[in-house]
Amino acid sequence: MTVRIIPRLDIKGPNLVKGIHLEGLRVLGRPEWFARYYYEQGADELVYMDVVASLYQRNSLLDIIARTSREIFIPLTVGGGLRTIEDIRTVLRAGADKVSLNTAAIRRPELIREASRRFGSSTILVSIEAIRKPDGRYEAYTDNGRERTGVDAMEWAVRAAELGAGELMVTSIDREGTGKGFDLELTRTIAGSVSIPVIACGGAGTVDHVTRVVKEGKADAVCLASILHYRAVRLHDFAAEIRGEGNVEYLKARRGFSKIQDTTLPDVKKYLTEQGIACRMPTGEVCHA
Amino acid sequence: MRESGPARVAIVDYGMGNLFSIKHACAFAGLQAVITAAGEEIVAADAVILPGMGAFGDAMQILRDLDLVEVLRDVAQSGKPLLGVCLGMQLLMAESFEFGRHQGLGIIEGDVVSLQEGMDGARRLKVPQVGWNRVWRTGQAAGEGAASPAWRDTLLDSLSDGEFMYFVHSFYPRPADPGVTLSLTRYGPVEFTSSLARGNVFACQFHPERSGPQGLRIYRNLAARITAAAVGRAPGPTS
């Protein structure tokens, strides 16, 4: 079995954005361009996360999903603000293969059971966004890290799996966007307590961080964002294409972000393979540990 | 049959699975696909795709409620290409042991069993299997990389032995006749039939429409097969 490397694209309106701790969003470009680029580079799946869906209408997201699914033939997961069975059906009909639930599932856990029964477990991811507390416990947050829930993240992971989630996407909000590395304890504890796959999310600053979250964190798949986006941004002049409002100062300057050693998907997979972790190599090549 | 226009594929809509990614893959291969649960539309198509995700028993019940069981058996008999994907592959089998014992379509002799039961303690892997795994012509020992001659003129034509495909499943089919097995895939201690072919019937446990450029080759091969099958059925001096 291979470890999946999954670019995560946070979307605000028509734009790809990236923040730190899920805040302070910078506009990076058009998500469709990044999706196509990552597909050609050998991405194993893609995640689209509508980071402000709870607050705004989402028609532009549905357009982005529809355009992407016509030209990208790998699994596409869509999350952000999905509240009902009908919301899920809408994004699946637009072309998503899976959906990710967080806020609505914590408010009403039965949604996981209903959705997995209706669309199949493998279609339903539960996203757990956690912050480590001073006592060492992890608390689940909702609304992209804005709202605390009082729910213990570890207990919630087990419950979500029992309710029929097909996979768990586990994000450390503490590490998200910082480049300081994944929260290995968070990932390892959850991966050890459920039988479904766990996708680690938040914190990659070097390729070695990716290796560690697989080997020590026991992740079945890894989401990458800044570490790939910042390199991609340097390859393409996006500033002229940006529509809508947002912080584009970063994009105009096209500077890197010092904590993050940006890289490419083939280089990540090459490094993992050298470390004895089996990956699917980009189109046309085969490589194994 | 029609004289011109793109070949028409019916994607059987029984309410389970992402039919849209299959439709987009068909469009990529130049096929005009219609998502339908209407028996007459399925019978009239040049080829039929049986997709699916979810539980075997539920799926069979829906197919019965929609009066599609005999329709699909007729398609299998007709010589038109019939492609089963994921649960759609499992449904072709005679029976499944997913949450009890269920009758399948019985188009391919054999049964469907759990990946979980095959896991031994030492090499226990996550179930469902979610992700990319290799498809081999005759198990791991086969020559890697080169296009497999054994797949020539099948829907796996031009794919390399050991190619990666995208899987999402907790159960796998066990055809009674090993001769129908087109590819094998290993997941921990379990080696299973990841694709099979018998005449006009082809099925894969993986999702070719989610398996990148290599998966799309299967849809292109399907398009070529549809043309060939239509020619073969056409009345004329050569038939």
Side-chain angles (χ1 to χ4, degrees), chain B residues 4-237:
Chain B
S4 60
R8 273 207 327 192
V9 176
I11 302 171
V12 181
D13 179 9
Y14 57 100
M16 299 173 96
N18 180 3
L19 312 178
F20 298 92
S21 57
I22 292 180
K23 189 174 181 185
H24 293 155
C26 285
F28 184 91
L31 295 166
Q32 186 190 333
V34 52
I35 295 173
T36 179
E40 58 273 27
E41 216 164 0
I42 293 167
V43 167
D46 298 310
V48 175
I49 299 177
L50 183 62
M53 269 185 185
F56 189 102
D58 292 351
M60 279 306 298
Q61 188 56 51
I62 296 169
L63 289 177
R64 278 192 289 270
D65 292 345
L66 293 169
D67 286 328
L68 291 179
V69 170
E70 284 310 316
V71 168
L72 290 167
R73 286 178 181 153
D74 289 348
V75 169
Q77 293 288 324
S78 72
K80 290 180 186 177
L82 170 63
L83 167 62
V85 175
C86 196
L87 178 64
M89 176 190 202
Q90 298 176 5
L91 293 171
L92 298 180
M93 312 304 290
E95 63 179 346
S96 169
F97 294 94
E98 179 177 352
F99 308 127
R101 186 169 185 169
H102 305 277
Q103 290 288 309
L105 292 170
I107 291 169
I108 302 289
E109 275 307 308
D111 58 10
V112 178
V113 295
S114 166
L115 268 179
Q116 190 80 56
E117 283 161 22
M119 292 294 147
D120 53 37
R123 289 184 292 169
R124 180 165 291 276
L125 294 178
K126 296 275 171 92
V127 174
Q129 167 173 226
V130 180
W132 297 78
N133 203 340
R134 291 164 176 277
V135 298
W136 301 98
R137 177 60 194 107
T138 52
Q140 301 277 19
E144 180 183 315
S148 170
W151 289 342
R152 185 170 296 162
D153 297 329
T154 74
L155 290 198
L156 300 186
D157 199 343
S158 80
L159 290 175
S160 301
D161 198 15
E163 193 62 78
F164 282 102
M165 294 287 162
Y166 188 82
F167 289 80
V168 182
H169 65 128
S170 301
F171 291 78
Y172 64 95
R174 262 191 332 195
D177 172 9
V180 302
T181 295
L182 206 51
S183 68
L184 292 166
T185 293
R186 180 167 284 281
Y187 188 61
V190 179
E191 190 174 63
F192 62 94
T193 296
S194 50
S195 68
L196 62 80
R198 199 201 60 206
N200 58 312
V201 178
F202 177 83
C204 46
Q205 182 59 64
F206 52 85
H207 288 270
E209 66 284 352
R210 298 289 86 183
S211 295
Q214 281 70 27
L216 291 174
R217 276 193 215 170
I218 291 175
Y219 282 90
R220 286 218 195 91
N221 290 338
L222 174 67
R225 175 64 69 91
I226 291 169
T227 309
V231 169
R233 281 199 316 279

Side-chain angles (χ1 to χ4, degrees), chain A residues 176-198:
Chain A
E176 204 281 331
T178 66
K180 290 178 182 168
F182 294 88
D183 187 326
L184 301 178
E185 185 191 334
L186 173 68
T187 310
R188 180 173 54 236
T189 309
I190 290 180
S193 57
V194 297
S195 65
I196 55 176
V198 170

Side-chain angles (χ1 to χ4, degrees), chain A residues 100-111:
Chain A
S100 150
L101 304 176
N102 178 11
T103 307
I106 285 199
R107 287 196 190 136
R108 200 173 68 80
E110 278 300 309
L111 179 64

Side-chain angles (χ1 to χ4, degrees), chain A residues 110-135:
Chain A
E110 278 300 309
L111 179 64
I112 300 172
R113 193 196 302 277
E114 293 162 15
S116 62
R117 189 166 290 171
R118 179 66 192 79
F119 302 106
S121 269
S122 56
T123 307
I124 309 300
L125 270 70
V126 170
S127 170
I128 298 177
E129 295 171 354
I131 288 180
R132 188 186 170 98
K133 295 295 164 184
D135 65 0

